[in-house]
PDB file of all heavy atoms in Angstrom:
ATOM      1  N   SER E   1     160.182 270.436 225.919  1.00  0.00           N
ATOM      2  CA  SER E   1     160.018 270.020 227.322  1.00  0.00           C
ATOM      3  C   SER E   1     159.147 271.005 228.084  1.00  0.00           C
ATOM      4  O   SER E   1     158.302 270.611 228.892  1.00  0.00           O
ATOM      5  CB  SER E   1     161.382 269.902 228.005  1.00  0.00           C
ATOM      6  OG  SER E   1     162.170 268.906 227.385  1.00  0.00           O
ATOM      7  N   ALA E   2     159.345 272.295 227.804  1.00  0.00           N
ATOM      8  CA  ALA E   2     158.536 273.309 228.479  1.00  0.00           C
ATOM      9  C   ALA E   2     157.079 273.204 228.064  1.00  0.00           C
ATOM     10  O   ALA E   2     156.177 273.271 228.915  1.00  0.00           O
ATOM     11  CB  ALA E   2     159.084 274.703 228.162  1.00  0.00           C
ATOM     12  N   TYR E   3     156.833 273.036 226.775  1.00  0.00           N
ATOM     13  CA  TYR E   3     155.446 273.022 226.321  1.00  0.00           C
ATOM     14  C   TYR E   3     154.688 271.816 226.865  1.00  0.00           C
ATOM     15  O   TYR E   3     153.481 271.903 227.120  1.00  0.00           O
ATOM     16  CB  TYR E   3     155.363 273.038 224.795  1.00  0.00           C
ATOM     17  CG  TYR E   3     153.932 273.125 224.323  1.00  0.00           C
ATOM     18  CD1 TYR E   3     153.229 274.322 224.418  1.00  0.00           C
ATOM     19  CD2 TYR E   3     153.261 271.996 223.843  1.00  0.00           C
ATOM     20  CE1 TYR E   3     151.901 274.402 224.039  1.00  0.00           C
ATOM     21  CE2 TYR E   3     151.928 272.077 223.467  1.00  0.00           C
ATOM     22  CZ  TYR E   3     151.262 273.276 223.562  1.00  0.00           C
ATOM     23  OH  TYR E   3     149.939 273.352 223.202  1.00  0.00           O
ATOM     24  N   LYS E   4     155.365 270.707 227.071  1.00  0.00           N
ATOM     25  CA  LYS E   4     154.694 269.531 227.632  1.00  0.00           C
ATOM     26  C   LYS E   4     154.123 269.811 229.014  1.00  0.00           C
ATOM     27  O   LYS E   4     153.164 269.164 229.438  1.00  0.00           O
ATOM     28  CB  LYS E   4     155.675 268.355 227.688  1.00  0.00           C
ATOM     29  CG  LYS E   4     156.012 267.760 226.322  1.00  0.00           C
ATOM     30  CD  LYS E   4     157.002 266.619 226.446  1.00  0.00           C
ATOM     31  CE  LYS E   4     157.348 266.041 225.077  1.00  0.00           C
ATOM     32  NZ  LYS E   4     158.358 264.943 225.188  1.00  0.00           N
ATOM     33  N   LEU E   5     154.676 270.792 229.708  1.00  0.00           N
ATOM     34  CA  LEU E   5     154.169 271.148 231.035  1.00  0.00           C
ATOM     35  C   LEU E   5     152.805 271.824 230.965  1.00  0.00           C
ATOM     36  O   LEU E   5     152.122 271.951 231.988  1.00  0.00           O
ATOM     37  CB  LEU E   5     155.166 272.062 231.742  1.00  0.00           C
ATOM     38  CG  LEU E   5     156.546 271.460 232.019  1.00  0.00           C
ATOM     39  CD1 LEU E   5     157.473 272.504 232.616  1.00  0.00           C
ATOM     40  CD2 LEU E   5     156.439 270.258 232.952  1.00  0.00           C
ATOM     41  N   ARG E   6     152.406 272.275 229.777  1.00  0.00           N
ATOM     42  CA  ARG E   6     151.093 272.904 229.641  1.00  0.00           C
ATOM     43  C   ARG E   6     149.983 271.942 230.047  1.00  0.00           C
ATOM     44  O   ARG E   6     148.924 272.377 230.536  1.00  0.00           O
ATOM     45  CB  ARG E   6     150.880 273.373 228.193  1.00  0.00           C
ATOM     46  CG  ARG E   6     149.700 274.329 228.022  1.00  0.00           C
ATOM     47  CD  ARG E   6     149.137 274.281 226.624  1.00  0.00           C
ATOM     48  NE  ARG E   6     148.489 273.012 226.352  1.00  0.00           N
ATOM     49  CZ  ARG E   6     147.239 272.717 226.713  1.00  0.00           C
ATOM     50  NH1 ARG E   6     146.510 273.586 227.386  1.00  0.00           N
ATOM     51  NH2 ARG E   6     146.718 271.537 226.429  1.00  0.00           N
ATOM     52  N   TRP E   7     150.205 270.665 229.865  1.00  0.00           N
ATOM     53  CA  TRP E   7     149.170 269.683 230.208  1.00  0.00           C
ATOM     54  C   TRP E   7     148.846 269.715 231.698  1.00  0.00           C
ATOM     55  O   TRP E   7     147.765 269.290 232.118  1.00  0.00           O
ATOM     56  CB  TRP E   7     149.614 268.279 229.795  1.00  0.00           C
ATOM     57  CG  TRP E   7     148.544 267.256 229.972  1.00  0.00           C
ATOM     58  CD1 TRP E   7     148.501 266.257 230.891  1.00  0.00           C
ATOM     59  CD2 TRP E   7     147.330 267.157 229.217  1.00  0.00           C
ATOM     60  NE1 TRP E   7     147.354 265.517 230.757  1.00  0.00           N
ATOM     61  CE2 TRP E   7     146.603 266.051 229.732  1.00  0.00           C
ATOM     62  CE3 TRP E   7     146.777 267.878 228.168  1.00  0.00           C
ATOM     63  CZ2 TRP E   7     145.366 265.670 229.237  1.00  0.00           C
ATOM     64  CZ3 TRP E   7     145.549 267.489 227.667  1.00  0.00           C
ATOM     65  CH2 TRP E   7     144.859 266.405 228.198  1.00  0.00           C
ATOM     66  N   SER E   8     149.756 270.245 232.512  1.00  0.00           N
ATOM     67  CA  SER E   8     149.529 270.285 233.955  1.00  0.00           C
ATOM     68  C   SER E   8     148.290 271.100 234.312  1.00  0.00           C
ATOM     69  O   SER E   8     147.608 270.794 235.299  1.00  0.00           O
ATOM     70  CB  SER E   8     150.757 270.871 234.666  1.00  0.00           C
ATOM     71  OG  SER E   8     150.948 272.231 234.298  1.00  0.00           O
ATOM     72  N   ILE E   9     147.971 272.124 233.536  1.00  0.00           N
ATOM     73  CA  ILE E   9     146.793 272.923 233.861  1.00  0.00           C
ATOM     74  C   ILE E   9     145.511 272.165 233.533  1.00  0.00           C
ATOM     75  O   ILE E   9     144.488 272.326 234.203  1.00  0.00           O
ATOM     76  CB  ILE E   9     146.840 274.302 233.155  1.00  0.00           C
ATOM     77  CG1 ILE E   9     145.875 275.277 233.844  1.00  0.00           C
ATOM     78  CG2 ILE E   9     146.556 274.188 231.664  1.00  0.00           C
ATOM     79  CD1 ILE E   9     146.062 276.719 233.440  1.00  0.00           C
ATOM     80  N   GLU E  10     145.563 271.289 232.528  1.00  0.00           N
ATOM     81  CA  GLU E  10     144.418 270.422 232.238  1.00  0.00           C
ATOM     82  C   GLU E  10     144.196 269.447 233.391  1.00  0.00           C
ATOM     83  O   GLU E  10     143.051 269.147 233.751  1.00  0.00           O
ATOM     84  CB  GLU E  10     144.645 269.661 230.933  1.00  0.00           C
ATOM     85  CG  GLU E  10     144.878 270.527 229.710  1.00  0.00           C
ATOM     86  CD  GLU E  10     143.613 271.217 229.222  1.00  0.00           C
ATOM     87  OE1 GLU E  10     142.526 270.985 229.815  1.00  0.00           O
ATOM     88  OE2 GLU E  10     143.712 271.998 228.258  1.00  0.00           O
ATOM     89  N   CYS E  11     145.292 268.945 233.984  1.00  0.00           N
ATOM     90  CA  CYS E  11     145.164 268.045 235.138  1.00  0.00           C
ATOM     91  C   CYS E  11     144.524 268.766 236.318  1.00  0.00           C
ATOM     92  O   CYS E  11     143.709 268.189 237.050  1.00  0.00           O
ATOM     93  CB  CYS E  11     146.542 267.506 235.526  1.00  0.00           C
ATOM     94  SG  CYS E  11     147.320 266.471 234.268  1.00  0.00           S
ATOM     95  N   THR E  12     144.870 270.036 236.496  1.00  0.00           N
ATOM     96  CA  THR E  12     144.262 270.817 237.575  1.00  0.00           C
ATOM     97  C   THR E  12     142.769 270.983 237.355  1.00  0.00           C
ATOM     98  O   THR E  12     141.960 270.777 238.271  1.00  0.00           O
ATOM     99  CB  THR E  12     144.932 272.200 237.665  1.00  0.00           C
ATOM    100  OG1 THR E  12     146.298 272.027 238.056  1.00  0.00           O
ATOM    101  CG2 THR E  12     144.226 273.082 238.689  1.00  0.00           C
ATOM    102  N   PHE E  13     142.373 271.363 236.149  1.00  0.00           N
ATOM    103  CA  PHE E  13     140.952 271.549 235.862  1.00  0.00           C
ATOM    104  C   PHE E  13     140.179 270.256 236.064  1.00  0.00           C
ATOM    105  O   PHE E  13     139.070 270.259 236.608  1.00  0.00           O
ATOM    106  CB  PHE E  13     140.757 272.046 234.431  1.00  0.00           C
ATOM    107  CG  PHE E  13     141.268 273.442 234.178  1.00  0.00           C
ATOM    108  CD1 PHE E  13     141.659 273.845 232.913  1.00  0.00           C
ATOM    109  CD2 PHE E  13     141.358 274.357 235.214  1.00  0.00           C
ATOM    110  CE1 PHE E  13     142.124 275.128 232.685  1.00  0.00           C
ATOM    111  CE2 PHE E  13     141.821 275.650 234.992  1.00  0.00           C
ATOM    112  CZ  PHE E  13     142.199 276.039 233.721  1.00  0.00           C
ATOM    113  N   SER E  14     140.766 269.133 235.653  1.00  0.00           N
ATOM    114  CA  SER E  14     140.108 267.846 235.842  1.00  0.00           C
ATOM    115  C   SER E  14     139.912 267.541 237.321  1.00  0.00           C
ATOM    116  O   SER E  14     138.837 267.079 237.740  1.00  0.00           O
ATOM    117  CB  SER E  14     140.937 266.742 235.181  1.00  0.00           C
ATOM    118  OG  SER E  14     140.355 265.474 235.376  1.00  0.00           O
ATOM    119  N   ALA E  15     140.945 267.834 238.143  1.00  0.00           N
ATOM    120  CA  ALA E  15     140.852 267.556 239.575  1.00  0.00           C
ATOM    121  C   ALA E  15     139.886 268.505 240.276  1.00  0.00           C
ATOM    122  O   ALA E  15     139.346 268.179 241.334  1.00  0.00           O
ATOM    123  CB  ALA E  15     142.240 267.658 240.214  1.00  0.00           C
ATOM    124  N   MET E  16     139.658 269.675 239.703  1.00  0.00           N
ATOM    125  CA  MET E  16     138.711 270.617 240.296  1.00  0.00           C
ATOM    126  C   MET E  16     137.282 270.342 239.858  1.00  0.00           C
ATOM    127  O   MET E  16     136.337 270.775 240.530  1.00  0.00           O
ATOM    128  CB  MET E  16     139.076 272.046 239.898  1.00  0.00           C
ATOM    129  CG  MET E  16     140.292 272.599 240.603  1.00  0.00           C
ATOM    130  SD  MET E  16     140.529 274.326 240.168  1.00  0.00           S
ATOM    131  CE  MET E  16     141.693 274.828 241.436  1.00  0.00           C
ATOM    132  N   LYS E  17     137.137 269.613 238.773  1.00  0.00           N
ATOM    133  CA  LYS E  17     135.799 269.374 238.232  1.00  0.00           C
ATOM    134  C   LYS E  17     135.384 267.926 238.511  1.00  0.00           C
ATOM    135  O   LYS E  17     135.340 267.512 239.665  1.00  0.00           O
ATOM    136  CB  LYS E  17     135.779 269.741 236.746  1.00  0.00           C
ATOM    137  CG  LYS E  17     136.001 271.267 236.540  1.00  0.00           C
ATOM    138  CD  LYS E  17     136.275 271.645 235.114  1.00  0.00           C
ATOM    139  CE  LYS E  17     135.056 271.682 234.244  1.00  0.00           C
ATOM    140  NZ  LYS E  17     135.324 272.195 232.888  1.00  0.00           N
ATOM    141  N   SER E  18     135.094 267.165 237.488  1.00  0.00           N
ATOM    142  CA  SER E  18     134.434 265.870 237.685  1.00  0.00           C
ATOM    143  C   SER E  18     135.294 264.846 238.416  1.00  0.00           C
ATOM    144  O   SER E  18     134.763 263.908 239.014  1.00  0.00           O
ATOM    145  CB  SER E  18     134.003 265.300 236.329  1.00  0.00           C
ATOM    146  OG  SER E  18     135.117 265.157 235.469  1.00  0.00           O
ATOM    147  N   ARG E  19     136.612 264.990 238.410  1.00  0.00           N
ATOM    148  CA  ARG E  19     137.472 264.029 239.097  1.00  0.00           C
ATOM    149  C   ARG E  19     137.859 264.466 240.509  1.00  0.00           C
ATOM    150  O   ARG E  19     138.732 263.862 241.123  1.00  0.00           O
ATOM    151  CB  ARG E  19     138.738 263.771 238.275  1.00  0.00           C
ATOM    152  CG  ARG E  19     138.467 263.037 236.972  1.00  0.00           C
ATOM    153  CD  ARG E  19     139.756 262.616 236.307  1.00  0.00           C
ATOM    154  NE  ARG E  19     139.514 261.856 235.091  1.00  0.00           N
ATOM    155  CZ  ARG E  19     140.474 261.326 234.333  1.00  0.00           C
ATOM    156  NH1 ARG E  19     141.737 261.486 234.673  1.00  0.00           N
ATOM    157  NH2 ARG E  19     140.171 260.665 233.234  1.00  0.00           N
ATOM    158  N   GLY E  20     137.229 265.532 240.998  1.00  0.00           N
ATOM    159  CA  GLY E  20     137.597 265.997 242.324  1.00  0.00           C
ATOM    160  C   GLY E  20     136.498 266.768 243.008  1.00  0.00           C
ATOM    161  O   GLY E  20     135.602 266.183 243.611  1.00  0.00           O
ATOM    162  N   PHE E  21     136.512 268.090 242.855  1.00  0.00           N
ATOM    163  CA  PHE E  21     135.627 268.950 243.631  1.00  0.00           C
ATOM    164  C   PHE E  21     134.335 269.317 242.903  1.00  0.00           C
ATOM    165  O   PHE E  21     133.523 270.066 243.434  1.00  0.00           O
ATOM    166  CB  PHE E  21     136.377 270.211 244.048  1.00  0.00           C
ATOM    167  CG  PHE E  21     137.483 269.928 245.029  1.00  0.00           C
ATOM    168  CD1 PHE E  21     138.771 269.673 244.587  1.00  0.00           C
ATOM    169  CD2 PHE E  21     137.223 269.880 246.386  1.00  0.00           C
ATOM    170  CE1 PHE E  21     139.791 269.390 245.491  1.00  0.00           C
ATOM    171  CE2 PHE E  21     138.231 269.600 247.300  1.00  0.00           C
ATOM    172  CZ  PHE E  21     139.519 269.347 246.844  1.00  0.00           C
ATOM    173  N   ASN E  22     134.146 268.797 241.705  1.00  0.00           N
ATOM    174  CA  ASN E  22     132.886 268.965 240.970  1.00  0.00           C
ATOM    175  C   ASN E  22     132.467 270.438 240.876  1.00  0.00           C
ATOM    176  O   ASN E  22     131.333 270.806 241.206  1.00  0.00           O
ATOM    177  CB  ASN E  22     131.780 268.117 241.606  1.00  0.00           C
ATOM    178  CG  ASN E  22     131.987 266.634 241.349  1.00  0.00           C
ATOM    179  OD1 ASN E  22     131.836 266.162 240.227  1.00  0.00           O
ATOM    180  ND2 ASN E  22     132.384 265.912 242.381  1.00  0.00           N
ATOM    181  N   LEU E  23     133.380 271.247 240.403  1.00  0.00           N
ATOM    182  CA  LEU E  23     133.139 272.678 240.253  1.00  0.00           C
ATOM    183  C   LEU E  23     131.914 272.961 239.393  1.00  0.00           C
ATOM    184  O   LEU E  23     131.155 273.905 239.655  1.00  0.00           O
ATOM    185  CB  LEU E  23     134.386 273.333 239.635  1.00  0.00           C
ATOM    186  CG  LEU E  23     134.344 274.830 239.346  1.00  0.00           C
ATOM    187  CD1 LEU E  23     134.131 275.629 240.632  1.00  0.00           C
ATOM    188  CD2 LEU E  23     135.635 275.262 238.652  1.00  0.00           C
ATOM    189  N   GLU E  24     131.683 272.123 238.383  1.00  0.00           N
ATOM    190  CA  GLU E  24     130.586 272.380 237.453  1.00  0.00           C
ATOM    191  C   GLU E  24     129.209 272.103 238.054  1.00  0.00           C
ATOM    192  O   GLU E  24     128.185 272.370 237.409  1.00  0.00           O
ATOM    193  CB  GLU E  24     130.774 271.572 236.160  1.00  0.00           C
ATOM    194  CG  GLU E  24     130.637 270.070 236.316  1.00  0.00           C
ATOM    195  CD  GLU E  24     131.923 269.388 236.707  1.00  0.00           C
ATOM    196  OE1 GLU E  24     132.722 269.971 237.482  1.00  0.00           O
ATOM    197  OE2 GLU E  24     132.138 268.245 236.264  1.00  0.00           O
ATOM    198  N   GLN E  25     129.139 271.587 239.292  1.00  0.00           N
ATOM    199  CA  GLN E  25     127.848 271.367 239.946  1.00  0.00           C
ATOM    200  C   GLN E  25     127.262 272.636 240.537  1.00  0.00           C
ATOM    201  O   GLN E  25     126.107 272.660 240.956  1.00  0.00           O
ATOM    202  CB  GLN E  25     127.987 270.315 241.052  1.00  0.00           C
ATOM    203  CG  GLN E  25     128.218 268.901 240.551  1.00  0.00           C
ATOM    204  CD  GLN E  25     128.310 267.900 241.686  1.00  0.00           C
ATOM    205  OE1 GLN E  25     128.331 268.269 242.858  1.00  0.00           O
ATOM    206  NE2 GLN E  25     128.384 266.622 241.338  1.00  0.00           N
ATOM    207  N   THR E  26     128.037 273.704 240.572  1.00  0.00           N
ATOM    208  CA  THR E  26     127.552 274.931 241.184  1.00  0.00           C
ATOM    209  C   THR E  26     126.412 275.554 240.393  1.00  0.00           C
ATOM    210  O   THR E  26     126.340 275.415 239.167  1.00  0.00           O
ATOM    211  CB  THR E  26     128.689 275.973 241.323  1.00  0.00           C
ATOM    212  OG1 THR E  26     128.174 277.127 241.991  1.00  0.00           O
ATOM    213  CG2 THR E  26     129.214 276.395 239.956  1.00  0.00           C
ATOM    214  N   GLY E  27     125.548 276.242 241.111  1.00  0.00           N
ATOM    215  CA  GLY E  27     124.497 277.007 240.452  1.00  0.00           C
ATOM    216  C   GLY E  27     124.852 278.478 240.355  1.00  0.00           C
ATOM    217  O   GLY E  27     124.048 279.294 239.887  1.00  0.00           O
ATOM    218  N   ILE E  28     126.069 278.853 240.780  1.00  0.00           N
ATOM    219  CA  ILE E  28     126.504 280.246 240.728  1.00  0.00           C
ATOM    220  C   ILE E  28     126.848 280.633 239.293  1.00  0.00           C
ATOM    221  O   ILE E  28     127.625 279.943 238.630  1.00  0.00           O
ATOM    222  CB  ILE E  28     127.721 280.471 241.647  1.00  0.00           C
ATOM    223  CG1 ILE E  28     127.322 280.274 243.108  1.00  0.00           C
ATOM    224  CG2 ILE E  28     128.317 281.858 241.442  1.00  0.00           C
ATOM    225  CD1 ILE E  28     128.481 280.377 244.079  1.00  0.00           C
ATOM    226  N   THR E  29     126.294 281.738 238.836  1.00  0.00           N
ATOM    227  CA  THR E  29     126.587 282.225 237.485  1.00  0.00           C
ATOM    228  C   THR E  29     127.069 283.675 237.483  1.00  0.00           C
ATOM    229  O   THR E  29     127.654 284.127 236.501  1.00  0.00           O
ATOM    230  CB  THR E  29     125.347 282.119 236.577  1.00  0.00           C
ATOM    231  OG1 THR E  29     124.276 282.879 237.154  1.00  0.00           O
ATOM    232  CG2 THR E  29     124.907 280.667 236.422  1.00  0.00           C
ATOM    233  N   GLN E  30     126.821 284.411 238.578  1.00  0.00           N
ATOM    234  CA  GLN E  30     127.230 285.813 238.631  1.00  0.00           C
ATOM    235  C   GLN E  30     128.761 285.893 238.710  1.00  0.00           C
ATOM    236  O   GLN E  30     129.410 285.146 239.435  1.00  0.00           O
ATOM    237  CB  GLN E  30     126.587 286.475 239.850  1.00  0.00           C
ATOM    238  CG  GLN E  30     126.555 287.977 239.818  1.00  0.00           C
ATOM    239  CD  GLN E  30     127.757 288.592 240.517  1.00  0.00           C
ATOM    240  OE1 GLN E  30     128.480 287.901 241.229  1.00  0.00           O
ATOM    241  NE2 GLN E  30     127.959 289.880 240.299  1.00  0.00           N
ATOM    242  N   LYS E  31     129.367 286.799 237.943  1.00  0.00           N
ATOM    243  CA  LYS E  31     130.809 286.851 237.721  1.00  0.00           C
ATOM    244  C   LYS E  31     131.621 286.883 239.012  1.00  0.00           C
ATOM    245  O   LYS E  31     132.484 286.018 239.220  1.00  0.00           O
ATOM    246  CB  LYS E  31     131.152 288.065 236.852  1.00  0.00           C
ATOM    247  CG  LYS E  31     132.637 288.224 236.519  1.00  0.00           C
ATOM    248  CD  LYS E  31     132.862 289.441 235.644  1.00  0.00           C
ATOM    249  CE  LYS E  31     134.303 289.565 235.198  1.00  0.00           C
ATOM    250  NZ  LYS E  31     135.241 289.754 236.323  1.00  0.00           N
TER     251      LYS E  31
END
């Protein structure tokens, strides 16, 4: 049951990227 919660971080990344805020559109590369 605990390990199934790991998928929640994948949902966050998806919502921050192409399904939400499009994080990967940035041109920033400096750390």
Side-chain angles (χ1 to χ4, degrees):
S1 297
Y3 184 74
K4 288 179 181 178
L5 298 175
R6 194 206 68 82
W7 187 250
S8 65
I9 198 167
E10 302 287 358
C11 296
T12 295
F13 292 154
S14 178
M16 286 185 165
K17 294 168 78 174
S18 58
R19 292 189 177 182
F21 293 92
N22 288 290
L23 178 61
E24 68 273 35
Q25 289 182 353
T26 183
I28 294 176
T29 58
Q30 198 267 347
K31 181 179 185 297

